[in-house]
Amino acid sequence: MPRGTSRRLPRALTLAAAGCGLLAAVPLIYLVVRVATAGPESLAATLSRPRLPDLLLNSLLLTTAVTATAVVIGVPIAWALARARLPWRNGWAALAALPLAVPSYVAAYGWLAAFPAMTGFWAAWFVLSLVGIPYVVLPATAALRSATTDLDDVARSLGRGPLGAFVAGTLPQIRPAVLSGALLVALYTLSDFGGVALFRFQVFTTAIHRAYAASFDRDYAAILATILMLVALLIVVGEQLTRRQSRHGNNGSHRRSAPVRLGAWTVPVCAGLVVVPLLTAGVPVAALVVRWVQAADMAAIDPARFAAALGNTVALSAGGALIALGLATPIAILSARHSGRRVRLLEVLGALPLGLPGIVVGLSLVFVSLKIVPWWYQSAGVLAFAYGVLFLPKAIGGVRSAVAQVPTELEDVARSLGGSRARVWWEVTARLASPGAAAAALLVAVTAMKELPATLMLRPTGTNTLATELWSRTDIAAYGASAPYALALLAVAAVPAFILSQQRPRASHPTGATPSAS
């Protein structure tokens, strides 16, 4: 669907989106204030440090390599799930989404338990690529299921092979979805701390965390975080420009081909679909279970402490998902139905937090809560809000796609029958977009369950989650004691990941138009 026909932005919606964008910009405002107060001497000293180019190069190389790997592997997996005739299709979809439930630090922890010599760039690239692939697979699969194959047939009739026809006919239709997934992978990699820290690969996030935790040099850390934010800004703007150039509406009737029969390739393709989940979850889980069984402190788990951590994980992640959904909805509606500089600015404000380390978001909220709302400091509410801000881009992407798939013709018909704008939104757009919005909230929840740095900084005194319990034992190499928390975290996060894998795009609507893949 193209964006809405109205060029005028609704005032109430614009104000609501601006308010949400301002809340999402709290970490950015904090960085600007911190850098401004640092002084030119501190700025010059930081920029002249010899390690700065190495940190920048390492971060960029890792982000580029992981994103490229996720796209190259994720798109073929999505094609197999959406276009191939496979036995037990829902099961394969659930298996492909399983890595979503695996935090990078758990995967890294499990691989280190199995192979202690893993370290450096290649180890970080390997694990982050594995956990990042589902962010491309899920949107690409949904886009492939709703994309037309007419253009592929035309390309085949002109003499192109199957791959050439896919590149010419289908790839332009799913490119916006692939770009959205690639953006999430890039920002996730850029802001990751746990995985790279365990593999001892030095990037911006490890330097920022060390500056805050060890030397507590907030000016140095804030300047590094600002550079990281500028890199994230370039990535977000680049994705925006590419997405605008790649809009392909599937207007008019079209034909979807029957699932492709793979014949002798069925078994190899099914075996290939097992590889990523096996490497991401299977190997780490097996290694941790073995360590748990062998551990002398196997019986030292406190059931009450374990249950409290489990309950806190579910409650806080659910709260963060609801906050993210509330902040994302006005911005996503504007993005789906309107264009212009103000809309693009709001999109950028909403997307940048995912590129910031959790510790920066945590410190910004500590600063704001102590200065403005001291009663809010170290409460469950501020931690849930941090989750909502950190993972707001994931909510915006899901809600935007869901709203864009609702035909504007249906809204026009409802308005012509006397419905007010608010009533049409609630009874038509919101109802049709609600499954996609719910999927976006689930994606935020499953990601929030795994968040570590912000949780360590903002959790109320005495409150632990599965992630913090796991990290406290990871830090002292207590593999056996940490295994139950790692396994529980995987099991809990796998529930929303499974639900996400079962999402299906809506069928073509009565006008014959097909939802946009963007």
Side-chain angles (χ1 to χ4, degrees):
M1 279 292 299
R3 291 191 178 193
T5 57
S6 173
R7 296 179 61 86
R8 183 179 179 183
L9 300 181
R11 177 172 297 182
L13 182 61
T14 303
L15 289 175
C20 294
L22 183 62
L23 289 174
V26 166
L28 313 184
I29 297 172
Y30 166 78
L31 287 178
V32 170
V33 172
R34 175 60 64 180
V35 172
T37 57
E41 296 83 4
S42 179
L43 181 61
T46 299
L47 295 178
S48 61
R49 292 197 182 193
R51 292 187 66 250
L52 186 62
D54 292 336
L55 292 174
L56 180 60
L57 181 62
N58 287 350
S59 295
L60 291 177
L61 283 177
L62 184 62
T63 300
T64 302
V66 169
T67 304
T69 303
V71 170
V72 169
I73 296 177
V75 172
I77 292 175
W79 180 89
L81 295 174
R83 294 281 178 88
R85 184 182 292 276
L86 297 174
W88 198 45
R89 177 174 291 189
N90 287 346
W92 292 117
L95 194 64
L98 182 61
L100 272 180
V102 185
S104 63
Y105 54 88
V106 171
Y109 189 42
W111 277 94
L112 281 171
F115 304 99
M118 289 184 69
T119 186
F121 171 83
W122 293 109
W125 163 79
F126 176 70
V127 167
L128 290 178
S129 296
L130 290 175
V131 300
I133 287 172
Y135 292 115
V136 175
V137 171
L138 290 179
T141 301
L144 281 165
R145 283 173 175 154
S146 61
T148 175
T149 57
D150 288 346
L151 298 177
D152 297 56
D153 296 338
V154 172
R156 292 297 297 272
S157 70
L158 295 176
R160 296 202 180 190
L163 180 59
F166 175 84
V167 172
T170 298
L171 188 60
Q173 298 178 69
I174 69 169
R175 186 179 291 123
V178 174
L179 287 173
S180 296
L183 174 65
L184 292 180
V185 175
L187 295 179
Y188 178 85
T189 305
L190 199 63
S191 64
D192 182 73
F193 166 71
V196 291
L198 286 173
F199 288 128
R200 302 183 184 280
F201 183 63
Q202 299 303 311
V203 292
F204 267 108
T205 51
T206 56
I208 292 168
H209 192 277
R210 186 167 55 252
Y212 276 127
S215 63
F216 213 69
D217 187 348
R218 291 191 175 186
D219 290 341
Y220 173 58
I223 293 171
L224 290 182
T226 302
I227 297 173
L228 192 65
M229 179 189 69
L230 294 176
V231 174
L233 176 63
L234 292 177
I235 294 174
V236 171
V237 171
E239 188 272 342
Q240 276 190 341
L241 294 174
T242 308
R243 173 157 47 87
R244 290 210 309 273
Q245 295 169 1
S246 304
R247 292 189 181 277
H248 287 264
N250 296 325
N251 296 321
S253 62
H254 69 270
R255 180 180 65 84
R256 295 191 189 123
S257 64
V260 177
R261 295 181 179 274
L262 298 178
W265 284 95
T266 300
V267 173
V269 168
C270 290
L273 292 176
V274 174
V275 172
V276 172
L278 179 64
L279 295 177
T280 310
V283 172
V285 166
L288 290 174
V289 168
V290 170
R291 290 293 188 119
W292 187 22
V293 172
Q294 294 174 345
D297 52 357
M298 180 178 176
I301 302 300
D302 183 349
R305 186 183 180 97
F306 182 86
L310 178 61
N312 291 335
T313 299
V314 174
L316 289 169
S317 62
L322 292 176
I323 292 172
L325 190 61
L327 294 175
T329 298
I331 300 174
I333 296 172
L334 279 180
S335 177
R337 292 294 191 234
H338 302 274
S339 59
R341 293 182 180 178
R342 283 180 290 178
V343 175
R344 291 196 296 272
L345 175 60
L346 290 171
E347 285 183 312
V348 170
L349 287 177
L352 283 180
L354 189 58
L356 294 175
I359 192 171
V360 174
V361 176
L363 277 169
S364 69
L365 293 180
V366 168
F367 175 80
V368 170
S369 61
L370 287 176
K371 293 290 185 180
I372 301 176
V373 281
W375 52 267
W376 203 35
Y377 175 65
Q378 275 202 325
S379 67
V382 74
L383 179 54
F385 183 78
Y387 290 159
V389 170
L390 267 172
F391 308 120
L392 180 60
K394 300 184 178 184
I396 290 176
V399 177
R400 178 180 60 209
S401 179
V403 172
Q405 290 176 5
V406 178
T408 54
E409 293 90 336
L410 295 182
E411 297 175 348
D412 295 339
V413 170
R415 290 293 301 275
S416 69
L417 295 176
S420 64
R421 187 187 297 270
R423 183 177 180 184
V424 169
W425 156 253
W426 182 253
E427 295 186 355
V428 178
T429 310
R431 182 173 298 179
L432 293 175
S434 58
L442 283 173
L443 183 58
V444 173
V446 74
T447 312
M449 290 178 183
K450 306 180 293 182
E451 169 56 28
L452 183 64
T455 308
L456 290 171
M457 177 162 291
L458 295 174
R459 57 182 171 157
T461 303
T463 299
N464 286 301
T465 66
L466 293 174
T468 60
E469 291 281 9
L470 169 62
W471 186 256
S472 67
R473 288 158 177 78
T474 303
D475 197 42
I476 59 174
Y479 287 101
S482 67
Y485 293 98
L487 297 176
L489 182 58
L490 292 179
V492 173
V495 175
F498 171 78
I499 297 173
L500 280 171
S501 71
Q502 305 306 304
Q503 292 287 322
R504 293 290 185 270
R506 293 186 301 107
S508 299
H509 52 77
T511 64
T514 301
S516 168
S518 64

